Amino acid sequence: MTEPELVTGSFPGWRVVTASFVNLVTTAGLGFYGLSVYLSTLSKERDFSVSDISSAGALFFVVSGVAGLWVAQLLTKYDVRRVVVVGAVLGSIAFALLGGVHQIWQVYAVYTLLGLGFSFAGLLPATTVVTRWFHAKRSTALSIASTGLSAGGVLITPAVKWALDRNGLSATTPWLAVLWFVGIVPLTLAWMKPDPTVLGWMPDGIRLDRTVSAPALTGTPYDRAVRSRFFIAITIGYVFVLGSQVGGIQHLVKMVEERAGSGRATAATSILAMSSIVARLIGGQVAAKVPLARLTFGFAAVQGLSLLLASQAMSVPAIFGSVSLFGLTVGNLLMLQPLLIGQRFGVKDYARIFSRSQFYSLVGTAGGPYLMGFLHDHGGGYDVAYAVGGALSLLGAAIVFSGGPAEERIAGT
């Protein structure tokens, strides 16, 4: 565990949020959103089929989900900074190797490493540490930190696509390895402090009285939480919601290239991420005032509609319109899953509970990119693939709604 270190001055929690934001900019821009760009590049430069590369993307999410269970255990025992730095090293190695792949098994090996790096350095440690630092202001703090996911799609992913189109895979990926490491490690070590109480603070910026023992963390015990109807509904619902979302994102560049050309594919990626940023900042404020489960249902339903519209969009205005609508939902749905878990089950076992939900969701999510790639290759192109994605998102919305409100705690907790 971390040794106590008393820090005077302003509340360090917002620096924790800033470090988490920058980490998510990096891991999402190069990982989450970047998978769409690598799919297109690998299919062109290495002549792999779309379904084969989609399978590698599915493996990325399976590995990330399985590793998350381990990461959750590590976060209860070790300084979060140690865990994140391990992710920085693993991801950098993956990108250093990516430019040299020539066989599909090599792609799978690299994506396994990248999935590990994403799990150790990405959403789980970021949301865990922000949840420790903020209780009353959690929705605002998480919305700011998790906006890094969308910002990565605006700031990094288009630049990566430009570099890959201009210089090719082999010349670009070593620089991606450097960017992954530099984008994560410095601010993590400087600002991502793991626990407010060892620095003399309570959550939300309240000074800790050193003459009084720090309050114990509260919340629903892990064993009881994972058996609840709410947990089961949110987890299964997110299997379909994130499966359709990640499938839609990963195939976005390829879909727009086929229908409107490479230049407009880059623009579509930026539109997706920019609309996600705007909606996320608004959603973070709305989440503090609106029941979270209802808000999640609404965004999942709109996501389903946007994917159905994308399936039929052939003109540039129709494509960009459906992508904009899709982007409005992407960031908020990613933000709402940890918020739902944190609000319903509290802080005490948050990392274990969220990692378990994320594990099942990400394993299910891995099927989304593969299913859409299979439908593209064997089922009639992206019109069928995106229509199926939209239907799955609507199914997920209905399952989330069945779980009931997040504001009701389990009796006896």
Side-chain angles (χ1 to χ4, degrees), residues 16-17 19-24 27 71 75 80 83-84 118-134 141-142 145-146 149 192 338 350 354:
V16 173
V17 171
S20 299
F21 172 89
V22 174
N23 279 12
L24 293 179
T27 56
V71 170
L75 290 172
V80 65
V83 176
V84 172
F118 184 78
S119 184
F120 273 73
L123 191 62
L124 177 57
T127 58
T128 297
V129 74
V130 170
T131 297
R132 291 174 183 171
W133 279 88
F134 293 91
L142 276 177
S146 58
L149 292 166
M192 193 175 276
Y350 168 83
F354 178 57

PDB file of all heavy atoms in Angstrom, residues 16-17 19-24 27 71 75 80 83-84 118-134 141-142 145-146 149 192 338 350 354:
ATOM      1  N   VAL A  16      -5.752  14.761 -10.200  1.00  0.00           N
ATOM      2  CA  VAL A  16      -6.010  13.348 -10.471  1.00  0.00           C
ATOM      3  C   VAL A  16      -6.925  13.207 -11.689  1.00  0.00           C
ATOM      4  O   VAL A  16      -6.698  12.366 -12.567  1.00  0.00           O
ATOM      5  CB  VAL A  16      -6.647  12.670  -9.235  1.00  0.00           C
ATOM      6  CG1 VAL A  16      -7.075  11.244  -9.566  1.00  0.00           C
ATOM      7  CG2 VAL A  16      -5.681  12.668  -8.061  1.00  0.00           C
ATOM      8  N   VAL A  17      -7.957  14.050 -11.750  1.00  0.00           N
ATOM      9  CA  VAL A  17      -8.868  14.038 -12.897  1.00  0.00           C
ATOM     10  C   VAL A  17      -8.117  14.388 -14.176  1.00  0.00           C
ATOM     11  O   VAL A  17      -8.316  13.767 -15.228  1.00  0.00           O
ATOM     12  CB  VAL A  17     -10.042  15.019 -12.665  1.00  0.00           C
ATOM     13  CG1 VAL A  17     -10.869  15.193 -13.926  1.00  0.00           C
ATOM     14  CG2 VAL A  17     -10.928  14.518 -11.527  1.00  0.00           C
ATOM     15  N   ALA A  19      -4.868  14.003 -14.862  1.00  0.00           N
ATOM     16  CA  ALA A  19      -4.007  12.881 -15.260  1.00  0.00           C
ATOM     17  C   ALA A  19      -4.834  11.753 -15.863  1.00  0.00           C
ATOM     18  O   ALA A  19      -4.429  11.138 -16.865  1.00  0.00           O
ATOM     19  CB  ALA A  19      -3.222  12.373 -14.047  1.00  0.00           C
ATOM     20  N   SER A  20      -5.998  11.495 -15.288  1.00  0.00           N
ATOM     21  CA  SER A  20      -6.875  10.451 -15.827  1.00  0.00           C
ATOM     22  C   SER A  20      -7.371  10.837 -17.216  1.00  0.00           C
ATOM     23  O   SER A  20      -7.443   9.991 -18.119  1.00  0.00           O
ATOM     24  CB  SER A  20      -8.064  10.231 -14.887  1.00  0.00           C
ATOM     25  OG  SER A  20      -7.630   9.811 -13.607  1.00  0.00           O
ATOM     26  N   PHE A  21      -7.709  12.106 -17.398  1.00  0.00           N
ATOM     27  CA  PHE A  21      -8.141  12.603 -18.704  1.00  0.00           C
ATOM     28  C   PHE A  21      -7.067  12.371 -19.763  1.00  0.00           C
ATOM     29  O   PHE A  21      -7.343  11.842 -20.849  1.00  0.00           O
ATOM     30  CB  PHE A  21      -8.468  14.098 -18.590  1.00  0.00           C
ATOM     31  CG  PHE A  21      -8.739  14.779 -19.905  1.00  0.00           C
ATOM     32  CD1 PHE A  21     -10.018  14.813 -20.436  1.00  0.00           C
ATOM     33  CD2 PHE A  21      -7.713  15.404 -20.602  1.00  0.00           C
ATOM     34  CE1 PHE A  21     -10.274  15.440 -21.649  1.00  0.00           C
ATOM     35  CE2 PHE A  21      -7.953  16.039 -21.814  1.00  0.00           C
ATOM     36  CZ  PHE A  21      -9.235  16.053 -22.337  1.00  0.00           C
ATOM     37  N   VAL A  22      -5.830  12.741 -19.456  1.00  0.00           N
ATOM     38  CA  VAL A  22      -4.737  12.591 -20.425  1.00  0.00           C
ATOM     39  C   VAL A  22      -4.470  11.115 -20.719  1.00  0.00           C
ATOM     40  O   VAL A  22      -4.221  10.730 -21.869  1.00  0.00           O
ATOM     41  CB  VAL A  22      -3.470  13.296 -19.917  1.00  0.00           C
ATOM     42  CG1 VAL A  22      -2.285  13.028 -20.840  1.00  0.00           C
ATOM     43  CG2 VAL A  22      -3.704  14.801 -19.806  1.00  0.00           C
ATOM     44  N   ASN A  23      -4.530  10.271 -19.705  1.00  0.00           N
ATOM     45  CA  ASN A  23      -4.363   8.833 -19.926  1.00  0.00           C
ATOM     46  C   ASN A  23      -5.419   8.294 -20.889  1.00  0.00           C
ATOM     47  O   ASN A  23      -5.122   7.497 -21.789  1.00  0.00           O
ATOM     48  CB  ASN A  23      -4.460   8.074 -18.605  1.00  0.00           C
ATOM     49  CG  ASN A  23      -3.166   8.102 -17.821  1.00  0.00           C
ATOM     50  OD1 ASN A  23      -2.259   8.860 -18.153  1.00  0.00           O
ATOM     51  ND2 ASN A  23      -3.085   7.306 -16.785  1.00  0.00           N
ATOM     52  N   LEU A  24      -6.659   8.732 -20.702  1.00  0.00           N
ATOM     53  CA  LEU A  24      -7.734   8.233 -21.556  1.00  0.00           C
ATOM     54  C   LEU A  24      -7.663   8.835 -22.958  1.00  0.00           C
ATOM     55  O   LEU A  24      -8.051   8.171 -23.927  1.00  0.00           O
ATOM     56  CB  LEU A  24      -9.089   8.520 -20.902  1.00  0.00           C
ATOM     57  CG  LEU A  24      -9.351   7.730 -19.616  1.00  0.00           C
ATOM     58  CD1 LEU A  24     -10.699   8.096 -19.010  1.00  0.00           C
ATOM     59  CD2 LEU A  24      -9.268   6.233 -19.853  1.00  0.00           C
ATOM     60  N   THR A  27      -4.954   6.387 -24.404  1.00  0.00           N
ATOM     61  CA  THR A  27      -5.348   4.987 -24.581  1.00  0.00           C
ATOM     62  C   THR A  27      -6.536   4.851 -25.531  1.00  0.00           C
ATOM     63  O   THR A  27      -6.629   3.863 -26.266  1.00  0.00           O
ATOM     64  CB  THR A  27      -5.698   4.344 -23.227  1.00  0.00           C
ATOM     65  OG1 THR A  27      -6.712   5.102 -22.562  1.00  0.00           O
ATOM     66  CG2 THR A  27      -4.463   4.284 -22.322  1.00  0.00           C
ATOM     67  N   VAL A  71      -6.487  -6.631 -12.796  1.00  0.00           N
ATOM     68  CA  VAL A  71      -6.172  -5.237 -12.497  1.00  0.00           C
ATOM     69  C   VAL A  71      -6.947  -4.769 -11.269  1.00  0.00           C
ATOM     70  O   VAL A  71      -6.414  -4.053 -10.417  1.00  0.00           O
ATOM     71  CB  VAL A  71      -6.476  -4.345 -13.719  1.00  0.00           C
ATOM     72  CG1 VAL A  71      -6.378  -2.863 -13.354  1.00  0.00           C
ATOM     73  CG2 VAL A  71      -5.519  -4.665 -14.863  1.00  0.00           C
ATOM     74  N   LEU A  75      -5.319  -3.120  -7.932  1.00  0.00           N
ATOM     75  CA  LEU A  75      -5.645  -1.765  -7.484  1.00  0.00           C
ATOM     76  C   LEU A  75      -5.993  -1.713  -5.999  1.00  0.00           C
ATOM     77  O   LEU A  75      -5.913  -0.641  -5.382  1.00  0.00           O
ATOM     78  CB  LEU A  75      -6.804  -1.197  -8.307  1.00  0.00           C
ATOM     79  CG  LEU A  75      -6.481  -0.857  -9.764  1.00  0.00           C
ATOM     80  CD1 LEU A  75      -7.754  -0.496 -10.525  1.00  0.00           C
ATOM     81  CD2 LEU A  75      -5.475   0.273  -9.863  1.00  0.00           C
ATOM     82  N   VAL A  80      -1.929   2.855  -7.612  1.00  0.00           N
ATOM     83  CA  VAL A  80      -2.472   2.844  -8.968  1.00  0.00           C
ATOM     84  C   VAL A  80      -1.423   3.227 -10.003  1.00  0.00           C
ATOM     85  O   VAL A  80      -1.451   2.772 -11.149  1.00  0.00           O
ATOM     86  CB  VAL A  80      -3.703   3.782  -9.060  1.00  0.00           C
ATOM     87  CG1 VAL A  80      -3.311   5.229  -8.819  1.00  0.00           C
ATOM     88  CG2 VAL A  80      -4.400   3.636 -10.400  1.00  0.00           C
ATOM     89  N   VAL A  83       0.416   0.233 -11.417  1.00  0.00           N
ATOM     90  CA  VAL A  83      -0.412  -0.537 -12.352  1.00  0.00           C
ATOM     91  C   VAL A  83      -0.443   0.149 -13.719  1.00  0.00           C
ATOM     92  O   VAL A  83      -0.284  -0.495 -14.763  1.00  0.00           O
ATOM     93  CB  VAL A  83      -1.843  -0.691 -11.794  1.00  0.00           C
ATOM     94  CG1 VAL A  83      -2.747  -1.404 -12.793  1.00  0.00           C
ATOM     95  CG2 VAL A  83      -1.817  -1.444 -10.462  1.00  0.00           C
ATOM     96  N   VAL A  84      -0.640   1.460 -13.729  1.00  0.00           N
ATOM     97  CA  VAL A  84      -0.752   2.198 -14.986  1.00  0.00           C
ATOM     98  C   VAL A  84       0.568   2.181 -15.762  1.00  0.00           C
ATOM     99  O   VAL A  84       0.571   2.041 -16.986  1.00  0.00           O
ATOM    100  CB  VAL A  84      -1.215   3.643 -14.717  1.00  0.00           C
ATOM    101  CG1 VAL A  84      -1.140   4.486 -15.983  1.00  0.00           C
ATOM    102  CG2 VAL A  84      -2.649   3.644 -14.172  1.00  0.00           C
ATOM    103  N   PHE A 118      -4.051  -1.689 -22.549  1.00  0.00           N
ATOM    104  CA  PHE A 118      -5.266  -0.887 -22.435  1.00  0.00           C
ATOM    105  C   PHE A 118      -5.954  -1.125 -21.099  1.00  0.00           C
ATOM    106  O   PHE A 118      -6.450  -0.200 -20.462  1.00  0.00           O
ATOM    107  CB  PHE A 118      -6.204  -1.240 -23.588  1.00  0.00           C
ATOM    108  CG  PHE A 118      -7.451  -0.423 -23.657  1.00  0.00           C
ATOM    109  CD1 PHE A 118      -7.437   0.858 -24.172  1.00  0.00           C
ATOM    110  CD2 PHE A 118      -8.665  -0.938 -23.203  1.00  0.00           C
ATOM    111  CE1 PHE A 118      -8.604   1.628 -24.240  1.00  0.00           C
ATOM    112  CE2 PHE A 118      -9.826  -0.193 -23.264  1.00  0.00           C
ATOM    113  CZ  PHE A 118      -9.794   1.098 -23.781  1.00  0.00           C
ATOM    114  N   SER A 119      -5.989  -2.369 -20.644  1.00  0.00           N
ATOM    115  CA  SER A 119      -6.640  -2.699 -19.382  1.00  0.00           C
ATOM    116  C   SER A 119      -5.887  -2.110 -18.189  1.00  0.00           C
ATOM    117  O   SER A 119      -6.483  -1.548 -17.274  1.00  0.00           O
ATOM    118  CB  SER A 119      -6.750  -4.219 -19.231  1.00  0.00           C
ATOM    119  OG  SER A 119      -7.463  -4.557 -18.068  1.00  0.00           O
ATOM    120  N   PHE A 120      -4.559  -2.218 -18.203  1.00  0.00           N
ATOM    121  CA  PHE A 120      -3.746  -1.733 -17.088  1.00  0.00           C
ATOM    122  C   PHE A 120      -3.703  -0.205 -17.019  1.00  0.00           C
ATOM    123  O   PHE A 120      -3.566   0.358 -15.933  1.00  0.00           O
ATOM    124  CB  PHE A 120      -2.320  -2.280 -17.200  1.00  0.00           C
ATOM    125  CG  PHE A 120      -2.131  -3.625 -16.573  1.00  0.00           C
ATOM    126  CD1 PHE A 120      -2.644  -4.770 -17.161  1.00  0.00           C
ATOM    127  CD2 PHE A 120      -1.443  -3.762 -15.382  1.00  0.00           C
ATOM    128  CE1 PHE A 120      -2.467  -6.017 -16.588  1.00  0.00           C
ATOM    129  CE2 PHE A 120      -1.253  -5.008 -14.795  1.00  0.00           C
ATOM    130  CZ  PHE A 120      -1.773  -6.151 -15.399  1.00  0.00           C
ATOM    131  N   ALA A 121      -3.789   0.466 -18.175  1.00  0.00           N
ATOM    132  CA  ALA A 121      -3.584   1.913 -18.197  1.00  0.00           C
ATOM    133  C   ALA A 121      -4.842   2.714 -18.475  1.00  0.00           C
ATOM    134  O   ALA A 121      -4.801   3.940 -18.407  1.00  0.00           O
ATOM    135  CB  ALA A 121      -2.521   2.267 -19.240  1.00  0.00           C
ATOM    136  N   GLY A 122      -5.969   2.058 -18.779  1.00  0.00           N
ATOM    137  CA  GLY A 122      -7.123   2.763 -19.312  1.00  0.00           C
ATOM    138  C   GLY A 122      -8.250   3.037 -18.341  1.00  0.00           C
ATOM    139  O   GLY A 122      -8.045   3.566 -17.240  1.00  0.00           O
ATOM    140  N   LEU A 123      -9.459   2.639 -18.723  1.00  0.00           N
ATOM    141  CA  LEU A 123     -10.672   3.092 -18.061  1.00  0.00           C
ATOM    142  C   LEU A 123     -10.801   2.611 -16.620  1.00  0.00           C
ATOM    143  O   LEU A 123     -11.236   3.365 -15.743  1.00  0.00           O
ATOM    144  CB  LEU A 123     -11.888   2.633 -18.879  1.00  0.00           C
ATOM    145  CG  LEU A 123     -13.246   3.225 -18.492  1.00  0.00           C
ATOM    146  CD1 LEU A 123     -13.251   4.736 -18.672  1.00  0.00           C
ATOM    147  CD2 LEU A 123     -14.358   2.590 -19.316  1.00  0.00           C
ATOM    148  N   LEU A 124     -10.448   1.357 -16.337  1.00  0.00           N
ATOM    149  CA  LEU A 124     -10.637   0.823 -14.983  1.00  0.00           C
ATOM    150  C   LEU A 124      -9.800   1.568 -13.946  1.00  0.00           C
ATOM    151  O   LEU A 124     -10.346   2.039 -12.936  1.00  0.00           O
ATOM    152  CB  LEU A 124     -10.346  -0.680 -14.957  1.00  0.00           C
ATOM    153  CG  LEU A 124     -10.440  -1.356 -13.582  1.00  0.00           C
ATOM    154  CD1 LEU A 124     -11.822  -1.140 -12.967  1.00  0.00           C
ATOM    155  CD2 LEU A 124     -10.140  -2.848 -13.698  1.00  0.00           C
ATOM    156  N   PRO A 125      -8.485   1.723 -14.101  1.00  0.00           N
ATOM    157  CA  PRO A 125      -7.742   2.491 -13.092  1.00  0.00           C
ATOM    158  C   PRO A 125      -8.167   3.954 -13.034  1.00  0.00           C
ATOM    159  O   PRO A 125      -8.214   4.538 -11.946  1.00  0.00           O
ATOM    160  CB  PRO A 125      -6.274   2.348 -13.528  1.00  0.00           C
ATOM    161  CG  PRO A 125      -6.299   1.870 -14.917  1.00  0.00           C
ATOM    162  CD  PRO A 125      -7.570   1.104 -15.091  1.00  0.00           C
ATOM    163  N   ALA A 126      -8.503   4.545 -14.186  1.00  0.00           N
ATOM    164  CA  ALA A 126      -8.907   5.953 -14.188  1.00  0.00           C
ATOM    165  C   ALA A 126     -10.198   6.154 -13.399  1.00  0.00           C
ATOM    166  O   ALA A 126     -10.292   7.046 -12.546  1.00  0.00           O
ATOM    167  CB  ALA A 126      -9.069   6.454 -15.620  1.00  0.00           C
ATOM    168  N   THR A 127     -11.218   5.347 -13.670  1.00  0.00           N
ATOM    169  CA  THR A 127     -12.488   5.527 -12.969  1.00  0.00           C
ATOM    170  C   THR A 127     -12.380   5.121 -11.508  1.00  0.00           C
ATOM    171  O   THR A 127     -13.052   5.703 -10.648  1.00  0.00           O
ATOM    172  CB  THR A 127     -13.611   4.717 -13.646  1.00  0.00           C
ATOM    173  OG1 THR A 127     -13.272   3.326 -13.674  1.00  0.00           O
ATOM    174  CG2 THR A 127     -13.855   5.210 -15.062  1.00  0.00           C
ATOM    175  N   THR A 128     -11.540   4.137 -11.199  1.00  0.00           N
ATOM    176  CA  THR A 128     -11.361   3.728  -9.811  1.00  0.00           C
ATOM    177  C   THR A 128     -10.763   4.849  -8.977  1.00  0.00           C
ATOM    178  O   THR A 128     -11.249   5.171  -7.886  1.00  0.00           O
ATOM    179  CB  THR A 128     -10.468   2.481  -9.731  1.00  0.00           C
ATOM    180  OG1 THR A 128     -11.102   1.388 -10.399  1.00  0.00           O
ATOM    181  CG2 THR A 128     -10.209   2.092  -8.272  1.00  0.00           C
ATOM    182  N   VAL A 129      -9.711   5.473  -9.476  1.00  0.00           N
ATOM    183  CA  VAL A 129      -9.045   6.509  -8.689  1.00  0.00           C
ATOM    184  C   VAL A 129      -9.913   7.766  -8.601  1.00  0.00           C
ATOM    185  O   VAL A 129      -9.970   8.408  -7.542  1.00  0.00           O
ATOM    186  CB  VAL A 129      -7.642   6.818  -9.267  1.00  0.00           C
ATOM    187  CG1 VAL A 129      -7.704   7.610 -10.560  1.00  0.00           C
ATOM    188  CG2 VAL A 129      -6.787   7.547  -8.242  1.00  0.00           C
ATOM    189  N   VAL A 130     -10.638   8.115  -9.663  1.00  0.00           N
ATOM    190  CA  VAL A 130     -11.521   9.280  -9.599  1.00  0.00           C
ATOM    191  C   VAL A 130     -12.674   9.012  -8.636  1.00  0.00           C
ATOM    192  O   VAL A 130     -13.092   9.906  -7.881  1.00  0.00           O
ATOM    193  CB  VAL A 130     -12.050   9.640 -11.007  1.00  0.00           C
ATOM    194  CG1 VAL A 130     -13.151  10.696 -10.926  1.00  0.00           C
ATOM    195  CG2 VAL A 130     -10.911  10.149 -11.881  1.00  0.00           C
ATOM    196  N   THR A 131     -13.191   7.793  -8.614  1.00  0.00           N
ATOM    197  CA  THR A 131     -14.259   7.438  -7.681  1.00  0.00           C
ATOM    198  C   THR A 131     -13.802   7.554  -6.237  1.00  0.00           C
ATOM    199  O   THR A 131     -14.588   7.915  -5.346  1.00  0.00           O
ATOM    200  CB  THR A 131     -14.753   6.000  -7.972  1.00  0.00           C
ATOM    201  OG1 THR A 131     -15.307   5.959  -9.288  1.00  0.00           O
ATOM    202  CG2 THR A 131     -15.817   5.568  -6.987  1.00  0.00           C
ATOM    203  N   ARG A 132     -12.540   7.271  -5.964  1.00  0.00           N
ATOM    204  CA  ARG A 132     -12.019   7.425  -4.610  1.00  0.00           C
ATOM    205  C   ARG A 132     -11.946   8.894  -4.193  1.00  0.00           C
ATOM    206  O   ARG A 132     -12.145   9.228  -3.023  1.00  0.00           O
ATOM    207  CB  ARG A 132     -10.624   6.812  -4.516  1.00  0.00           C
ATOM    208  CG  ARG A 132     -10.576   5.297  -4.616  1.00  0.00           C
ATOM    209  CD  ARG A 132      -9.138   4.823  -4.651  1.00  0.00           C
ATOM    210  NE  ARG A 132      -9.026   3.372  -4.808  1.00  0.00           N
ATOM    211  CZ  ARG A 132      -7.878   2.735  -5.036  1.00  0.00           C
ATOM    212  NH1 ARG A 132      -6.753   3.427  -5.121  1.00  0.00           N
ATOM    213  NH2 ARG A 132      -7.872   1.422  -5.179  1.00  0.00           N
ATOM    214  N   TRP A 133     -11.640   9.770  -5.135  1.00  0.00           N
ATOM    215  CA  TRP A 133     -11.424  11.178  -4.825  1.00  0.00           C
ATOM    216  C   TRP A 133     -12.702  12.005  -4.811  1.00  0.00           C
ATOM    217  O   TRP A 133     -12.718  13.106  -4.255  1.00  0.00           O
ATOM    218  CB  TRP A 133     -10.434  11.782  -5.826  1.00  0.00           C
ATOM    219  CG  TRP A 133      -8.993  11.480  -5.505  1.00  0.00           C
ATOM    220  CD1 TRP A 133      -8.280  10.394  -5.893  1.00  0.00           C
ATOM    221  CD2 TRP A 133      -8.124  12.270  -4.707  1.00  0.00           C
ATOM    222  NE1 TRP A 133      -6.995  10.460  -5.395  1.00  0.00           N
ATOM    223  CE2 TRP A 133      -6.870  11.606  -4.656  1.00  0.00           C
ATOM    224  CE3 TRP A 133      -8.260  13.487  -4.033  1.00  0.00           C
ATOM    225  CZ2 TRP A 133      -5.780  12.115  -3.960  1.00  0.00           C
ATOM    226  CZ3 TRP A 133      -7.170  13.992  -3.334  1.00  0.00           C
ATOM    227  CH2 TRP A 133      -5.944  13.307  -3.303  1.00  0.00           C
ATOM    228  N   PHE A 134     -13.771  11.501  -5.438  1.00  0.00           N
ATOM    229  CA  PHE A 134     -15.002  12.285  -5.538  1.00  0.00           C
ATOM    230  C   PHE A 134     -16.215  11.417  -5.228  1.00  0.00           C
ATOM    231  O   PHE A 134     -16.349  10.324  -5.782  1.00  0.00           O
ATOM    232  CB  PHE A 134     -15.150  12.881  -6.948  1.00  0.00           C
ATOM    233  CG  PHE A 134     -14.110  13.912  -7.283  1.00  0.00           C
ATOM    234  CD1 PHE A 134     -12.924  13.530  -7.891  1.00  0.00           C
ATOM    235  CD2 PHE A 134     -14.322  15.244  -6.972  1.00  0.00           C
ATOM    236  CE1 PHE A 134     -11.955  14.473  -8.195  1.00  0.00           C
ATOM    237  CE2 PHE A 134     -13.353  16.192  -7.273  1.00  0.00           C
ATOM    238  CZ  PHE A 134     -12.164  15.808  -7.887  1.00  0.00           C
ATOM    239  N   ALA A 141     -16.798  14.902 -12.058  1.00  0.00           N
ATOM    240  CA  ALA A 141     -15.396  14.498 -12.179  1.00  0.00           C
ATOM    241  C   ALA A 141     -15.222  13.377 -13.198  1.00  0.00           C
ATOM    242  O   ALA A 141     -14.279  13.406 -14.018  1.00  0.00           O
ATOM    243  CB  ALA A 141     -14.858  14.053 -10.817  1.00  0.00           C
ATOM    244  N   LEU A 142     -16.105  12.388 -13.176  1.00  0.00           N
ATOM    245  CA  LEU A 142     -16.005  11.291 -14.132  1.00  0.00           C
ATOM    246  C   LEU A 142     -16.298  11.753 -15.547  1.00  0.00           C
ATOM    247  O   LEU A 142     -15.682  11.263 -16.502  1.00  0.00           O
ATOM    248  CB  LEU A 142     -16.955  10.155 -13.739  1.00  0.00           C
ATOM    249  CG  LEU A 142     -16.443   9.154 -12.710  1.00  0.00           C
ATOM    250  CD1 LEU A 142     -17.536   8.127 -12.386  1.00  0.00           C
ATOM    251  CD2 LEU A 142     -15.194   8.424 -13.196  1.00  0.00           C
ATOM    252  N   ALA A 145     -13.051  13.462 -16.704  1.00  0.00           N
ATOM    253  CA  ALA A 145     -11.986  12.482 -16.954  1.00  0.00           C
ATOM    254  C   ALA A 145     -12.295  11.621 -18.168  1.00  0.00           C
ATOM    255  O   ALA A 145     -11.440  11.420 -19.044  1.00  0.00           O
ATOM    256  CB  ALA A 145     -11.784  11.608 -15.716  1.00  0.00           C
ATOM    257  N   SER A 146     -13.527  11.124 -18.250  1.00  0.00           N
ATOM    258  CA  SER A 146     -13.857  10.201 -19.328  1.00  0.00           C
ATOM    259  C   SER A 146     -14.054  10.902 -20.663  1.00  0.00           C
ATOM    260  O   SER A 146     -14.089  10.244 -21.704  1.00  0.00           O
ATOM    261  CB  SER A 146     -15.105   9.387 -18.971  1.00  0.00           C
ATOM    262  OG  SER A 146     -16.213  10.223 -18.720  1.00  0.00           O
ATOM    263  N   LEU A 149     -11.672   9.996 -23.413  1.00  0.00           N
ATOM    264  CA  LEU A 149     -11.925   8.943 -24.402  1.00  0.00           C
ATOM    265  C   LEU A 149     -12.280   9.542 -25.755  1.00  0.00           C
ATOM    266  O   LEU A 149     -11.747   9.147 -26.795  1.00  0.00           O
ATOM    267  CB  LEU A 149     -13.056   8.035 -23.916  1.00  0.00           C
ATOM    268  CG  LEU A 149     -12.778   7.152 -22.702  1.00  0.00           C
ATOM    269  CD1 LEU A 149     -14.089   6.602 -22.155  1.00  0.00           C
ATOM    270  CD2 LEU A 149     -11.843   6.019 -23.057  1.00  0.00           C
ATOM    271  N   MET A 192      -1.368  11.324 -10.415  1.00  0.00           N
ATOM    272  CA  MET A 192      -2.411  10.330 -10.159  1.00  0.00           C
ATOM    273  C   MET A 192      -2.229   9.702  -8.777  1.00  0.00           C
ATOM    274  O   MET A 192      -1.873   8.529  -8.631  1.00  0.00           O
ATOM    275  CB  MET A 192      -2.422   9.258 -11.254  1.00  0.00           C
ATOM    276  CG  MET A 192      -3.676   8.379 -11.212  1.00  0.00           C
ATOM    277  SD  MET A 192      -3.804   7.208 -12.574  1.00  0.00           S
ATOM    278  CE  MET A 192      -4.537   8.238 -13.828  1.00  0.00           C
ATOM    279  N   PRO A 338     -19.605   3.080 -15.353  1.00  0.00           N
ATOM    280  CA  PRO A 338     -19.014   3.228 -14.019  1.00  0.00           C
ATOM    281  C   PRO A 338     -19.849   4.079 -13.078  1.00  0.00           C
ATOM    282  O   PRO A 338     -19.858   3.832 -11.863  1.00  0.00           O
ATOM    283  CB  PRO A 338     -17.652   3.887 -14.308  1.00  0.00           C
ATOM    284  CG  PRO A 338     -17.764   4.472 -15.669  1.00  0.00           C
ATOM    285  CD  PRO A 338     -18.718   3.591 -16.412  1.00  0.00           C
ATOM    286  N   TYR A 350     -15.840  -1.090  -5.293  1.00  0.00           N
ATOM    287  CA  TYR A 350     -16.124  -0.589  -6.638  1.00  0.00           C
ATOM    288  C   TYR A 350     -15.250  -1.243  -7.700  1.00  0.00           C
ATOM    289  O   TYR A 350     -15.754  -1.693  -8.741  1.00  0.00           O
ATOM    290  CB  TYR A 350     -15.927   0.934  -6.683  1.00  0.00           C
ATOM    291  CG  TYR A 350     -15.923   1.470  -8.100  1.00  0.00           C
ATOM    292  CD1 TYR A 350     -17.109   1.746  -8.758  1.00  0.00           C
ATOM    293  CD2 TYR A 350     -14.721   1.647  -8.805  1.00  0.00           C
ATOM    294  CE1 TYR A 350     -17.120   2.198 -10.061  1.00  0.00           C
ATOM    295  CE2 TYR A 350     -14.721   2.095 -10.115  1.00  0.00           C
ATOM    296  CZ  TYR A 350     -15.916   2.373 -10.734  1.00  0.00           C
ATOM    297  OH  TYR A 350     -15.910   2.802 -12.036  1.00  0.00           O
ATOM    298  N   PHE A 354     -17.024  -3.237 -10.657  1.00  0.00           N
ATOM    299  CA  PHE A 354     -16.985  -2.683 -12.002  1.00  0.00           C
ATOM    300  C   PHE A 354     -16.167  -3.565 -12.942  1.00  0.00           C
ATOM    301  O   PHE A 354     -16.552  -3.782 -14.094  1.00  0.00           O
ATOM    302  CB  PHE A 354     -16.405  -1.265 -11.975  1.00  0.00           C
ATOM    303  CG  PHE A 354     -16.284  -0.651 -13.350  1.00  0.00           C
ATOM    304  CD1 PHE A 354     -17.395  -0.524 -14.164  1.00  0.00           C
ATOM    305  CD2 PHE A 354     -15.065  -0.215 -13.832  1.00  0.00           C
ATOM    306  CE1 PHE A 354     -17.299   0.036 -15.431  1.00  0.00           C
ATOM    307  CE2 PHE A 354     -14.945   0.334 -15.087  1.00  0.00           C
ATOM    308  CZ  PHE A 354     -16.063   0.467 -15.897  1.00  0.00           C
TER     309      PHE A 354
END
